[in-house]
Amino acid sequence: MHNNRINIFDFRRDVLQKLLDNNTYDNRIAPNYEEDRATNVTLKLSIISIDSINEISMDFSLNLFLYQTWVDPRLNFTKYSNFSSLELDQKMIENVWVPDTYFPNEKQATFHTVTVNNKLLHIYQNGTVFYSIRLSMTLTCTMKLHNFPLDDQECTIFLESCKY
């Protein structure tokens, strides 16, 4: 049984090495770049907590998970394996292209790193990539304080692509 686990581990490692070979995969280049079309990225936020709302500095702080999903055809591994997905460890994540998503109304942000970087990346057999990261952020919120303290505020979280 123990030998079987080693073989599966070795096989997964070999599949990842084939996919992320520097001669065929460049993590600096977006999927579909050669076809001159944008990569569609699906974003989802899961807010863990809203920690503060500050009417003096007009901002709010929160803790969240940012989930991103896209298809990178270069990472399709149907010809190499019948595994449904491959999970990359922290050191391997930096070898994969990830979207340049940012928050334009961010004042301050922190990545969570206790006990390791709070990041997760799965590659599915068809080349779909799922990437998750945990963040704490302070974002601007232009508040209308005409009826303070009885007013209602609407604070928005903006997300954009840095380059596209």
Side-chain angles (χ1 to χ4, degrees):
M1 183 75 167
H2 185 53
N3 279 342
N4 190 23
R5 286 185 188 171
I6 292 172
N7 290 337
I8 289 172
F9 173 77
D10 289 343
F11 187 71
R12 286 177 184 254
R13 185 192 64 221
D14 292 346
V15 171
L16 281 171
Q17 284 178 339
K18 287 177 188 173
L19 291 175
L20 302 175
D21 181 351
N22 289 341
N23 295 322
T24 57
Y25 185 86
D26 189 340
N27 66 348
R28 299 170 300 170
I29 299 173
N32 311 313
Y33 178 80
E34 294 82 15
E35 299 169 15
D36 197 29
R37 62 184 174 93
T39 301
N40 290 323
V41 179
T42 302
L43 301 168
K44 177 183 172 185
L45 294 177
S46 179
I47 297 174
I48 300 165
S49 63
I50 298 175
D51 301 322
S52 69
I53 300 172
N54 189 324
E55 57 279 341
I56 295 170
S57 57
M58 293 207 177
D59 59 27
F60 66 108
S61 298
L62 67 160
N63 190 340
L64 60 87
F65 278 99
L66 170 63
Y67 303 105
Q68 300 179 89
T69 306
W70 65 93
V71 176
D72 189 336
R74 302 170 296 176
L75 298 176
N76 182 315
F77 61 89
T78 53
K79 63 184 175 185
Y80 300 126
S81 165
N82 62 354
F83 291 126
S84 61
S85 68
L86 299 169
E87 180 179 329
L88 276 68
D89 71 12
Q90 300 300 314
K91 294 173 185 154
M92 293 290 291
I93 290 174
E94 63 191 39
N95 295 322
V96 176
W97 177 89
V98 296
D100 58 356
T101 306
Y102 82 105
F103 297 80
N105 61 328
E106 174 258 328
K107 285 183 160 181
Q108 181 180 2
T110 306
F111 296 106
H112 287 256
T113 58
V114 176
T115 60
V116 296
N117 289 331
N118 291 188
K119 296 179 181 179
L120 171 76
L121 193 137
H122 284 243
I123 302 171
Y124 292 90
Q125 197 175 45
N126 67 350
T128 297
V129 180
F130 173 79
Y131 178 62
S132 168
I133 188 163
R134 185 173 169 211
L135 303 164
S136 287
M137 307 176 73
T138 300
L139 303 170
T140 61
C141 177
T142 305
M143 300 181 192
K144 298 177 181 121
L145 303 171
H146 304 294
N147 297 322
F148 185 80
L150 302 174
D151 47 15
D152 290 327
Q153 301 301 329
E154 186 175 305
C155 295
T156 306
I157 301 172
F158 294 103
L159 291 112
E160 292 183 10
S161 169
C162 185
K163 296 180 184 125
Y164 299 100

